[in-house]
């Protein structure tokens, strides 16, 4: 039976309302970015105004937006490349040579994600300090790599699981070594899966704020740290903060929407096949 | 050269004893078929020989060298999987040449070997295609081609024909046997289809529940099944098994009194049975005739006209159904009373433990 018109209208209204509530802060941020500081704090809020790019200038002028953006790109891509490079052989071993402890290993890796990051802030901070990696891209790359590693291993593992064992076994009997199997068989066969894993890793690293704010400053800070700077002690500058936030999330939003189809397909690959 | 020797080979999975001490010797150039019901351990045994599965106990050697711990690629064997396991992103030519390319064999030599194998397997027209664009039979042949180009000492096949239609299966059977003679290599072939085993093998290994029930030539297994399992497994339609007691014994054979009356003569020189022993008498449908003076009676339950022969399924009250392969023009109809007469020189006997009590010498004329 088709739902009645009334119930469809109610459902649609509810869905739209929920969606609006969820995107409202983002929309409001976008709107505020085009206001002056005075307009931004006006009560009642202004809905009709002449958009100005002033805040964007202010936000980028002294704050060195480009350096932070560059850091974001380097750190997220670097951490992703590194994480995949480490996780790929790990997932290969877990998926194709399972042993008694395989399941435990997987669970253990995931369990590290259950620990709140702040719990290890002190030791990691001190460690970075002692190896002189505080406020360096390398230090942040290392942290982001390790943060994402469990998820990357898990994703690759589940993609590898979908590849028939016999294909690699045939290669093995034919004298094709593990490295060659990974490069010539696994990589092309799990290509879409590896791509969506990489995409997710880039997005996670890009949005990572906690470590970026805590272990970097003016040299290696990413866009997350850049936004945080605008909540300065001298008070909040809403328009500038909004403009900075828009500049910080815009690249990854564009990137995400461009790759969305691939990402969704990759994430549901194993489930719907 | 590939002479394979298995001694007390065992496979224990966690909580499951899959292979329980297999002794087997396979000669160079032999075509050996592993046959048995589903789950009996055929694939496991083959994978242990290939090196893909660890051997939990016993010894396995290739050409006299212990091979338990030799990695699969160093055993000189090639395996063809039931699923073919072709590389889906490579063309037929690339599939066949992949292992050589990885081994840094010069390009010209790879091309030569691939072309040679392709010609032998009639794949020359499809070398540029991906596996997706091939028929089942062609995929099958690519998988074989991939094995051939490596010039292995031996081939291992795991139910390679089970995905093909009946006609192609029959054709591929003969082609594989020809290949065995042509390449002069050892081949081990796994199947659960006893017809395939009978038609292809030099020697058949009948597996059941992780043990070897019998090893022998197709005719040996057909004429002298070592036990009731082999008797029931080899041959189609199945051998008839009748219960009875040995009533008399002389130098030329024995008489068996069946439980449902009727006495049947078993003609064989060395029968290990004394009068009074409970036995199972085995007689194949093709060695049983419909005859008015037959010792066994029953009712034709079902008549199957196959053209070249007619199978009559006979119901006997309180006893197992029997099958008789009758003349195509026998004219028996469903519901007719029939009498059956086994050939004394073809009947076999099994003791209470299910083991054969006689062994016939058979001579090919
Ligand atoms: N990894 C494993 N762990 C536990 N038991 C296993 C494992 N692999 C196989 N087995 C068991 O070992 C037995 C033999 O399996 P195998 O695959 O060798 O059978 P098969 O004779 O090839 O059967 P089929 O004709 O169905 O292919 C089966 O009972 C199976 O359940
Ligand atoms: Mg099997």
């Amino acid at each position: 039976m088709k739902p009645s018109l009334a119930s469809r209208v109610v459902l649609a209204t509810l869905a739209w309302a929920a969606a609006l509530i969820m995107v409202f802060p983002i929309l409001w941020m976008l709107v505020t970015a085009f206001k002056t500081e005075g307009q931004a704090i006006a009560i009642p809020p202004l809905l009709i105004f002449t958009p100005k790019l002033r805040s964007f200038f202010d936000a980028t002028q002294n704050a060195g937006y480009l350096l932070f953006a560059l850091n974001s790109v380097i750190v997220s891509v670097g951490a992703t490349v590194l994480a995949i490079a480490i996780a790929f052989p790990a997932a290969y071993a877990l998926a194709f040579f399972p042993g008694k402890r395989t399941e435990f290993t997987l669970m253990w890796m995931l369990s590290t994600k259950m620990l709140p990051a702040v719990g290890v802030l002190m030791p990691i901070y001190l460690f970075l300090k002692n190896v002189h990696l505080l406020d360096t891209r390398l230090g942040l790359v290392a942290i982001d790599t390790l943060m994402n590693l469990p998820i990357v291993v898990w994703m690759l593992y589940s993609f590898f699981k979908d590849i028939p064992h016999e294909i690699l076994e045939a290669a093995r009997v034919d004298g094709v070594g593990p490295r060659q199997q990974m490069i010539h068989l696994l990589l092309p066969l799990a290509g879409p899966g590896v791509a969506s894993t990489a995409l997710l890793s880039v997005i996670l690293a890009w949005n990572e704020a906690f470590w970026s704010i805590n272990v970097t400053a003016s040299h290696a800070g990413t866009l997350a740290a850049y936004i945080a700077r605008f909540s300065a002690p001298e008070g909040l500058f809403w328009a500038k903060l909004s403009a900075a936030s828009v500049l910080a999330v815009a690249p990854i939003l564009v990137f995400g929407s461009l790759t969305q189809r691939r990402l969704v397909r990759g994430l549901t690959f194993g489930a719907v096949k | 050269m590939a002479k394979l020797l298995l001694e007390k080979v065992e496979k224990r999975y966690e909580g499951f004893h899959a292979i329980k001490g297999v002794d087997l010797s396979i000669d160079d150039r032999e075509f050996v078929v592993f046959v048995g019901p589903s789950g009996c351990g055929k694939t496991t045994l083959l994978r242990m020989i290939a090196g893909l599965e660890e051997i939990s106990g016993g010894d396995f050697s290739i050409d006299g060298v212990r091979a338990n711990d030799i990695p699969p690629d160093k055993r000189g064997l090639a395996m063809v999987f039931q699923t073919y396991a072709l590389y889906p992103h490579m063309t037929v030519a690339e599939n066949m040449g992949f292992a050589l390319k990885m081994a840094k064999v010069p390009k010209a030599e790879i091309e030569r070997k691939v072309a040679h194998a392709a010609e032998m397997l009639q794949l020359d027209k499809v070398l540029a295609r991906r596996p997706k664009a091939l028929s089942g039979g062609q995929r099958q042949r690519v998988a074989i081609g991939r094995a051939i180009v490596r010039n292995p000492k031996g081939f291992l096949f795991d139910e390679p024909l089970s995905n093909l239609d009946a006609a192609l299966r029959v054709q591929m059977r003969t082609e594989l046997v020809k290949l065995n003679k042509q390449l002069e290599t050892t081949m081990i072939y796994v199947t659960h289809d006893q017809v395939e085993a009978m038609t292809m093998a030099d020697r058949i290994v009948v597996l059941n529940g992780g043990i070897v029930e019998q090893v022998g030539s197709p005719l040996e297994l057909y004429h002298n099944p070592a036990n009731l399992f082999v008797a029931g497994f080899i041959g189609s339609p199945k051998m008839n098994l009748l219960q009875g007691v040995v009533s008399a014994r002389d130098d030329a054979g024995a008489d068996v009194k069946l439980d449902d009356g009727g006495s049947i003569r078993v003609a064989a020189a060395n029968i290990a049975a004394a009068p009074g022993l409970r036995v199972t008498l085995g007689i194949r449908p093709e060695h049983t005739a419909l005859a008015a003076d037959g010792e066994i009676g029953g009712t034709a339950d079902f008549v199957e006209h196959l053209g070249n022969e007619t199978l009559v399924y006979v119901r006997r009250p309180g006893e197992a159904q029997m099958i008789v392969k009758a003349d195509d023009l026998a004219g028996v109809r469903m519901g007719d009373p029939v009498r059956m007469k086994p050939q004394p020189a073809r009947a076999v006997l099994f003791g209470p433990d299910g083991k054969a009590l006689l062994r016939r010498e058979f001579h090919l004329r």
Side-chain angles (χ1 to χ4, degrees), chain A residues 100 166-167 169-176 180 184-185 188-189, chain B residues 47 52 73 77 81 85-90 98-99 102 146 150:
Chain A
K100 282 196 192 91
E166 284 94 352
I167 291 185
E169 282 177 345
R172 221 171 119 213
V173 174
D174 285 354
V176 179
Q180 293 172 321
H184 296 282
L185 299 176
L189 289 176
Chain B
R47 288 171 56 87
L52 292 171
D73 55 305
L77 304 173
F81 293 80
L86 300 181
Y87 311 129
H89 58 299
M90 297 183 198
F98 180 63
M102 291 299 107
R146 199 167 60 178
R150 287 186 51 234

Side-chain angles (χ1 to χ4, degrees), chain B residues 251-307:
Chain B
D251 283 351
D255 290 317
V256 176
K257 178 131 180 53
L258 296 183
D259 290 355
D260 65 342
S263 180
I264 292 185
R265 177 74 180 165
V266 177
N270 301 301
I271 301 178
L277 186 71
R278 270 213 77 80
V279 292
T280 304
L281 184 145
I283 184 75
R284 297 200 180 275
E286 52 272 38
H287 301 148
T288 312
L290 294 177
D293 63 342
E295 298 91 338
I296 317 166
T299 314
D301 212 9
F302 187 68
V303 182
E304 238 175 27
H305 293 284
L306 301 178

Side-chain angles (χ1 to χ4, degrees), chain A residues 60-182:
Chain A
T60 51
Q61 202 103 69
N62 314 316
Y65 169 79
L66 280 182
L67 177 66
F68 286 94
L70 184 66
N71 285 341
S72 271
V73 171
I74 291 176
V75 168
S76 56
V77 171
T80 296
V81 169
L82 206 58
I84 299 255
I86 298 171
F88 201 91
Y92 164 77
L94 288 165
F96 297 105
F97 302 92
K100 282 196 192 91
R101 275 183 288 275
T102 300
E103 216 161 292
F104 171 80
T105 309
L106 281 164
M107 279 322 291
W108 170 75
M109 277 196 276
L110 203 62
S111 73
T112 60
K113 295 295 291 178
M114 295 170 194
L115 185 73
V118 70
V120 289
L121 176 59
M122 256 329 176
I124 289 193
Y125 186 90
L126 292 175
F127 175 79
L128 286 177
K129 182 163 173 264
N130 285 327
V131 294
H132 305 292
L133 285 177
L134 268 185
D135 197 17
T136 60
R137 290 169 187 157
L138 184 61
L140 197 54
V141 164
I143 288 182
D144 281 358
T145 301
L146 294 173
M147 290 294 294
N148 290 343
L149 204 50
I151 292 170
V152 173
V153 170
W154 264 82
M155 280 185 71
L156 289 181
Y157 171 79
S158 62
F159 289 123
F160 291 177
K161 270 286 183 202
D162 288 337
I163 294 171
H165 275 212
E166 284 94 352
I167 291 185
L168 295 196
E169 282 177 345
R172 221 171 119 213
V173 174
D174 285 354
V176 179
R179 210 169 52 89
Q180 293 172 321
Q181 288 173 35
M182 284 192 260

Side-chain angles (χ1 to χ4, degrees), chain B residues 102-315:
Chain B
M102 291 299 107
K104 306 240 157 32
V105 173
K107 220 170 163 182
E109 194 181 333
I110 298 179
E111 274 169 19
R112 193 174 50 73
K113 285 189 168 165
V114 168
H116 178 69
E119 192 193 284
M120 191 190 303
L121 298 165
Q122 294 162 31
L123 287 169
D124 16 9
K125 300 264 179 341
V126 297
L127 278 176
R129 287 200 210 161
R130 296 266 159 89
K132 206 170 56 201
L134 297 179
S135 73
Q138 287 169 328
R139 282 179 207 180
Q140 163 65 51
R141 292 199 296 258
V142 175
I144 296 171
R146 199 167 60 178
I148 290 178
V149 294
R150 287 186 51 234
N151 208 2
K153 289 194 273 188
F155 288 84
L156 310 174
F157 296 97
D158 191 0
E159 307 208 19
L161 306 186
S162 55
N163 295 337
L164 306 184
D165 67 44
L168 198 54
R169 200 148 62 210
V170 172
Q171 182 197 339
M172 287 303 296
R173 264 187 222 157
T174 42
E175 281 181 28
L176 281 179
V177 173
K178 268 194 233 156
L179 204 63
N180 172 242
K181 308 300 169 221
Q182 204 176 339
L183 298 174
E184 304 195 325
T185 49
T186 310
M187 288 189 178
I188 303 181
Y189 184 102
V190 163
T191 178
H192 60 258
D193 179 356
Q194 57 94 17
V195 178
E196 240 172 49
M198 294 294 282
T199 49
M200 300 175 80
D202 290 329
R203 270 196 315 154
I204 298 178
V205 178
V206 182
L207 285 165
N208 181 32
I211 61 161
V212 173
E213 293 278 4
Q214 191 174 3
V215 182
S217 70
L219 282 182
E220 171 72 17
L221 263 55
Y222 178 80
H223 288 283
N224 289 314
N227 51 51
L228 283 171
F229 178 81
V230 179
F233 195 78
I234 298 290
S236 173
K238 273 188 178 9
M239 181 184 267
N240 297 305
L241 299 171
L242 314 171
Q243 308 303 321
V245 177
V246 176
S247 58
R249 173 87 176 78
D250 55 50
D251 283 351
D255 290 317
V256 176
K257 178 131 180 53
L258 296 183
D259 290 355
D260 65 342
S263 180
I264 292 185
R265 177 74 180 165
V266 177
N270 301 301
I271 301 178
L277 186 71
R278 270 213 77 80
V279 292
T280 304
L281 184 145
I283 184 75
R284 297 200 180 275
E286 52 272 38
H287 301 148
T288 312
L290 294 177
D293 63 342
E295 298 91 338
I296 317 166
T299 314
D301 212 9
F302 187 68
V303 182
E304 238 175 27
H305 293 284
L306 301 178
N308 58 339
E309 64 197 26
T310 295
L311 298 180
V312 184
Y313 295 77
V314 181
R315 179 162 38 101

